[in-house]
């Protein structure tokens, strides 16, 4: 069986949300953003599950369950691309891992089934795949090993999106598996709390 890893990127500061604590540790209801997003990755059954930390790395790493492999990104200010690369460097030596699903800590409603569907697309031959909701491409994203070398050259606050402009993308419908919204601002957070999150 081809192994597919998962990486939850949780290295950014999240300055638009405000506050002093790292964004992944922000409470949404009774659970943090990280608990929700990382929980879905762990529930997916994929292995290994990586958590990429950067800003206030020790605080974020301290709450990670032991099943997750914590990866520190010292270049976290370089954006999402640098966190993706930190995950890939951790995995590249294990040739049994043929792809990686990438999720974000500030998307707390992505479901475990979305990761399973992306991994299945990879096992069926996709090298680049994206979850779709209502026909729109969102997260998670699957990146096959054949594209990892090129991913290591990416820069800035986009990761696999840059590759999607160059290579064919397999779209994987993930409607009803969860919700891909981002929690970026205090208004986003207040809205979801008001909605009963």
């Amino acid at each position: 069986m081809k192994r597919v890893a998962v990486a939850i990127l949780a290295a950014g500061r999240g300055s638009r949300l405000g506050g002093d604590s790292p964004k992944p540790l922000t409470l949404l209801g009774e659970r943090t953003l990280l608990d929700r997003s990382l929980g879905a990755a762990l529930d997916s059954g994929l292995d290994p599950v990586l958590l990429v930390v950067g800003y206030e790395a020790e605080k974020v790493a301290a709450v990670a369950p032991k099943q997750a492999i914590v990866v520190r990104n010292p270049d976290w200010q370089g954006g999402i691309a640098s966190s993706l690369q930190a995950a890939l460097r951790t995995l590249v030596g294990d040739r049994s891992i043929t792809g990686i699903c990438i999720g974000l800590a500030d998307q707390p409603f992505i479901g475990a089934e979305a990761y399973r569907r992306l991994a299945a697309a990879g096992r069926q031959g996709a090298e680049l795949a994206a979850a779709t909701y209502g026909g729109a491409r969102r997260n998670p994203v699957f990146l096959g090993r054949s594209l990892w070398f090129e991913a290591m050259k990416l820069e800035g606050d986009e990761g696999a999106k840059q590759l999607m402009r160059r290579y064919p993308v397999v779209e994987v419908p993930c409607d009803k598996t969860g919700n891909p919204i981002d929690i970026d601002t205090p208004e986003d957070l207040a809205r979801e709390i008001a909605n009963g999150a």
Side-chain angles (χ1 to χ4, degrees):
M1 179 66 71
K2 297 178 180 178
R3 293 179 67 206
V4 176
V6 183
I8 298 296
L9 308 187
R13 182 174 183 179
S15 55
R16 282 193 289 166
L17 192 59
D20 295 324
S21 85
K23 182 179 181 180
L25 303 185
T26 300
L27 278 172
L28 177 56
E30 296 181 357
R31 300 172 65 193
T32 64
L33 299 181
L34 180 61
D35 183 48
R36 291 170 180 262
S37 56
L38 185 58
L42 290 166
D43 288 346
S44 71
L46 302 181
D47 179 67
V49 175
L50 276 56
L51 172 65
V52 182
V53 298
Y55 175 69
E56 297 210 20
E58 296 308 317
K59 282 186 181 178
V60 180
V63 303
K66 62 183 179 181
Q67 306 99 299
I69 298 170
V70 175
V71 176
R72 286 166 175 76
N73 175 15
D75 301 317
W76 62 269
Q77 290 175 299
I80 286 175
S82 69
S83 289
L84 170 60
Q85 290 157 3
L88 296 180
R89 280 193 293 271
T90 301
L91 299 173
V92 70
D94 187 342
R95 300 296 300 184
S96 73
I97 298 173
T98 59
I100 183 172
C101 291
I102 304 146
L104 304 179
D106 63 1
Q107 293 183 330
F109 304 119
I110 297 285
E113 178 62 18
Y115 290 106
R116 294 186 199 108
R117 292 185 187 185
L118 268 289
R123 292 187 182 111
Q124 291 163 13
E127 285 299 318
L128 185 58
T132 64
Y133 304 81
R137 291 179 186 172
R138 298 295 300 272
N139 285 317
V141 170
F142 172 84
L143 191 61
R145 183 177 277 271
S146 70
L147 293 176
W148 289 9
F149 179 77
E150 190 159 353
M152 293 302 294
K153 302 176 186 177
L154 301 177
E155 297 180 350
D157 210 27
E158 282 188 329
K161 278 185 182 178
Q162 297 178 63
L163 298 176
M164 290 181 188
R165 293 193 279 270
R166 305 175 204 167
Y167 296 99
V169 180
V170 175
E171 296 186 341
V172 180
C174 288
D175 303 279
K176 299 183 180 179
T177 66
N179 189 322
I181 63 166
D182 300 89
I183 304 295
D184 286 330
T185 66
E187 292 75 21
D188 293 338
L189 190 64
R191 180 191 65 238
E192 295 309 318
I193 291 172
N195 288 338

